[in-house]
Amino acid sequence: MKIKVSEGSVLNVKGDLLVVNAFEGIKKPGGATAVVDKKLSGAIIELIKSGEITGKLGEVNLVHTQGKLLAKQVLVVGLGKAGEFTLDRARIAAAAVVAEAKRIKAKKVASIVHGAGVGGLDIKPAAQALVEGGMLGAYRYNGYITVKDDSFFEVEELNIVEQDAKKIGQIKAGVRLGQVVGESVNNARDLVNGPANRVTPTYLAACAKKITGVKVKVIGLAEARKMGMESFYSVSKGSKEPAKFIVIRYGKGKPEYGLVGKGVTFDAGGISLKPSRKLWEMKIDMSGAAAVLETMRAISKLKVRKNVVGILPCTENMPDGEAQKPGDVVGSLSGKTIEIISTDAEGRMVLADGITYARKLGVKKIIDVATLTGACISALGDAASGIMGNDQQLIDQLVEAGRESGEKLWQLPLLEEYKDYSKSKVADIKNATEQGMAGPSIGGLFLQLFAENAAWAHIDIAGTAFLGKERGYLSYGATGVMVRTFINLLTR
Ligand code: BES
Ligand code: ZN
Ligand code: ZN
């Protein structure tokens, strides 16, 4: 979808569809909607009176222009109550518009920015949200289907129209940001939706190498082992698919931020084999790595003024004659030893070496992101990611960045009391407990040991990385969660 910004009146807009809006409960429209309504001899007011247009969030109503406007059809999108409008509602409205445009096969869509008037939003973030919602809403995973049907129709152009010349600069800035964000999120969704036989560690390394403006180092398994990453090695050694420890550096000098993403391209559980029901879903276990990779691409494009390193320990977790076993004791890059209770608690093992790698680079703030625990899905479902850590300021910043981006983060505690459960008789720590309580926190406490004195936050996206049912501007499948939050955090 091509996105452009034009200065001028909505009355001069050509194309298939011109989008205006209505807040819930209004009697007559204002702004650009009123201008369009006048030209349509009051057709929109009529539809409001008759109750067809209610202004409910995401409601769409088509109005034929009968030659009265240059655009073929007008679409009135509902924004909900004016007093309740938010950036996320702007995304939802934009996605509803794109869905309707797809349905009626409108190729060229023009829209005003929603919510910057009565809605009370600043124009730049409102424009950004419009583009994000449009792009995220337009996304579909095409996969490897060879027979294309109607459902493959794509909107060709989104033209954002603004009459006020003074606002154009801000709109363009918001649109640019929204476009980079939208692209990165959708790329991450493609990676996560992609099957594990194609989205391998080698493939992720190739993706990283295609990012411009960054330095990429790909460490193979033999070298990782030599460097002392025994924890990462131990998870990998049971699979034939070559593991890759990928390091992406942006900016010169010591990185301020280190993003560590779990890159398990398929999690069979290892010797602690998972049940076969929905096992295919474990292709999403590299969602953390995908989020980090796409964040790195975005910040390089946006030329942010922060030094950031992305660390992606990528491997499969498979059962095999050479696979690690429950009861094994392994070392790690940090020197700490780990007793393996469950080979299915592999995420924390690859992250442990990733976090230590970040620490050794002198990173001040480490954020790891991982589809770490099924228990996080039980606790928070699929509408909020779990966040925990040792630095409240970093956590608060992430929660706030997530709120603005439309990605909910819910803090879970790292209770001292639970440290006991991970105590091992033969190593410094166990990778899992027998009690099975407080799963997300037990995972977090394990990682905390490796973060040591760095400021660190851990984000569990097990529930949010993949939706079983569409919600708002997100369709079924991979969500690309945390790309938006990370870009927002790093562009502040
Ligand atoms: N990749 C899984 C967690 C997961 C489950 C992500 C469902 C997305 C959907 C992780 O590696 C895992 O297996 N965790 C175990 C930890 C346990 C052994 C301590 C779990 O959640 O059962
Ligand atoms: Zn697992
Ligand atoms: Zn896993």
Side-chain angles (χ1 to χ4, degrees):
M1 189 163 59
K2 198 183 141 213
I3 297 176
K4 64 177 202 186
V5 179
S6 339
E7 184 188 326
S9 163
V10 281
L11 300 180
N12 297 331
V13 167
K14 297 194 188 94
D16 302 305
L17 199 59
L18 169 62
V19 183
V20 291
N21 61 44
F23 279 105
E24 193 174 339
I26 51 146
K27 298 245 153 43
K28 60 176 207 224
T33 311
V35 173
V36 168
D37 185 50
K38 202 170 163 202
K39 204 70 181 172
L40 294 174
S41 327
I44 296 175
I45 291 191
E46 280 306 311
L47 288 165
I48 293 173
K49 271 193 196 147
S50 74
E52 272 170 81
I53 292 179
T54 69
K56 281 213 173 68
L57 180 64
E59 174 194 89
V60 284
N61 274 286
L62 276 172
V63 188
H64 291 267
T65 56
Q66 291 167 326
K68 290 177 187 161
L69 278 172
L70 294 175
K72 281 188 202 143
Q73 292 189 80
V74 164
L75 184 73
V76 184
V77 63
L79 302 181
K81 297 211 173 80
E84 294 172 4
F85 201 64
T86 59
L87 287 174
D88 216 39
R89 291 192 160 196
R91 291 186 194 97
I92 293 170
V97 164
V98 170
E100 182 67 1
K102 274 191 175 191
R103 193 184 68 82
I104 64 168
K105 302 215 163 42
K107 282 188 183 151
K108 285 194 169 29
V109 178
S111 177
I112 56 170
V113 176
H114 308 300
V118 209
L121 301 182
D122 290 337
I123 189 80
K124 183 184 162 196
Q128 183 186 345
L130 173 69
V131 172
E132 283 179 11
M135 290 180 73
L136 299 189
Y139 175 83
R140 66 166 278 162
Y141 179 63
N142 289 331
Y144 302 87
I145 298 170
T146 57
V147 188
K148 307 268 185 280
D149 62 15
D150 270 8
S151 66
F152 282 76
F153 178 87
E154 276 177 40
V155 174
E156 276 169 20
E157 180 186 284
L158 177 62
N159 179 13
I160 296 156
V161 196
E162 172 58 54
Q163 186 154 26
D164 186 350
K166 293 192 294 289
K167 290 184 181 162
I168 293 288
Q170 288 283 71
I171 292 180
K172 281 194 172 155
V175 165
R176 159 96 176 122
L177 201 51
Q179 233 177 326
V180 173
V181 170
E183 260 165 34
S184 276
V185 174
N186 287 346
N187 282 341
R189 293 163 94 181
D190 273 345
L191 288 174
V192 175
N193 282 324
N197 63 327
R198 295 180 191 257
V199 183
T200 59
T202 305
Y203 181 77
L204 289 172
C207 290
K209 281 182 184 158
K210 281 196 197 127
I211 303 175
T212 53
V214 297
K215 276 200 216 91
V216 178
K217 186 152 118 184
V218 179
I219 303 170
L221 191 58
E223 195 189 340
R225 186 186 192 186
K226 245 189 251 155
M227 288 167 68
M229 295 194 217
E230 206 185 327
S231 187
F232 174 65
Y233 170 75
S234 186
V235 173
S236 297
K237 70 194 176 98
S239 38
K240 287 257 156 41
E241 193 59 55
K244 306 282 172 193
F245 190 96
I246 305 165
V247 184
I248 309 171
R249 292 188 70 153
Y250 172 79
K252 293 191 178 74
K254 226 183 224 179
E256 178 186 354
Y257 285 91
L259 305 179
V260 187
K262 173 178 174 182
V264 175
T265 56
F266 187 72
D267 180 12
I271 296 299
S272 313
L273 191 62
K274 283 183 183 294
S276 61
R277 199 187 144 264
K278 279 213 171 177
L279 190 49
W280 62 268
E281 236 181 63
M282 281 303 114
K283 68 176 183 176
I284 72 154
D285 217 17
M286 34 56 74
S287 297
V292 173
L293 190 128
E294 287 304 326
T295 299
M296 297 308 292
R297 184 197 312 283
I299 63 169
S300 173
K301 265 199 196 145
L302 296 169
K303 299 199 163 59
V304 306
R305 284 189 302 269
K306 288 192 174 81
N307 296 336
V308 185
V309 59
I311 298 169
L312 288 60
C314 298
T315 176
E316 286 185 346
N317 183 29
M318 297 289 277
D320 178 79
E322 281 179 55
Q324 62 174 354
K325 300 170 290 294
D328 285 358
V329 175
V330 300
S332 63
L333 187 59
S334 67
K336 292 182 175 63
T337 55
I338 303 163
E339 180 186 7
I340 297 157
I341 297 300
S342 169
T343 64
D344 200 10
E346 86 297 342
R348 61 201 73 183
M349 294 184 67
V350 305
L351 290 172
D353 282 344
I355 290 170
T356 304
Y357 191 94
R359 263 195 40 242
K360 292 200 167 184
L361 289 178
V363 173
K364 287 200 187 72
K365 298 170 195 161
I366 302 175
I367 303 162
D368 79 73
V369 55
T371 44
L372 204 76
T373 65
C376 194
I377 314 176
S378 306
L380 298 175
D382 59 9
S385 305
I387 182 166
M388 48 217 106
N390 62 9
D391 188 282
Q392 197 55 42
Q393 204 186 341
L394 182 60
I395 293 171
D396 291 344
Q397 278 171 357
L398 279 158
V399 172
E400 176 57 16
R403 200 187 54 72
E404 285 178 5
S405 311
E407 296 184 323
K408 293 195 171 82
L409 290 158
W410 204 272
Q411 189 171 358
L412 299 170
L414 293 174
L415 301 180
E416 280 289 319
E417 289 87 334
Y418 299 158
K419 284 187 180 165
D420 264 1
Y421 293 122
S422 300
K423 280 212 173 111
S424 166
K425 289 193 169 59
V426 293
D428 295 331
I429 193 164
K430 290 190 217 174
N431 81 333
T433 63
E434 276 88 15
Q435 286 77 11
M437 297 188 289
S441 302
I442 297 288
L445 285 164
F446 179 92
L447 297 171
Q448 184 174 31
L449 190 70
F450 297 88
E452 295 193 12
N453 50 10
W456 156 81
H458 156 61
I459 303 174
D460 195 331
I461 56 170
T464 48
F466 194 91
L467 289 182
K469 190 179 181 300
E470 78 282 352
R471 179 188 299 124
Y473 44 84
L474 292 173
S475 51
Y476 163 88
T479 59
V481 72
M482 284 307 125
V483 173
R484 284 184 275 154
T485 299
F486 286 163
I487 297 173
N488 186 5
L489 178 82
L490 297 170
T491 49
R492 272 155 180 247

